[in-house]
Amino acid sequence: MHYSVVLVTMTDPNWVEAYIPAVQALVEKHGGRYLVRAQEIKRVEGQGANPSALVVIQWPDEAAANAFYQDPAYAPYLKSRLAGSKGDFFNVAGLP
């Protein structure tokens, strides 16, 4: 398994309404499924501001995660997310 972990801090939430349903369909198209899509985040350790949202997506493999991110159908949603937020997007391998 492979996972995408996304930390998002909204700067302009106007993109979210169109993004969520369209991107969920693209995630599913590439064999992914959401494990976490949370706005209520409770920090246990560390410092700094919490993100507005934390997302974890499970993929069958790294190729599926990359295919989703590079899908031309995702490009306009990625552009809108980047314009209306700041954050980090990580792809990580799960344990065997």
Side-chain angles (χ1 to χ4, degrees):
M1 291 291 165
H2 210 78
Y3 300 88
S4 294
V5 179
V6 187
L7 307 173
V8 177
T9 299
M10 309 283 183
T11 55
D12 176 1
N14 289 327
W15 59 274
V16 176
E17 187 175 337
Y19 183 94
I20 289 176
V23 172
Q24 180 164 339
L26 289 170
V27 165
E28 292 170 358
K29 170 186 166 186
H30 291 284
R33 73 181 187 103
Y34 287 92
L35 299 180
V36 177
R37 189 166 47 199
Q39 293 181 329
E40 186 174 320
I41 302 162
K42 296 183 181 177
R43 183 181 298 274
V44 175
E45 223 178 272
Q47 299 177 12
N50 282 355
S52 304
L54 187 145
V55 176
V56 179
I57 305 169
Q58 180 183 50
W59 304 100
D61 52 35
E62 184 178 9
N66 291 336
F68 159 77
Y69 196 83
Q70 296 168 359
D71 189 327
Y74 179 55
Y77 299 103
L78 173 60
K79 183 178 178 180
S80 68
R81 178 175 59 79
L82 293 175
S85 70
K86 57 184 179 176
D88 298 297
F89 194 118
F90 303 95
N91 280 336
V92 297
L95 295 173

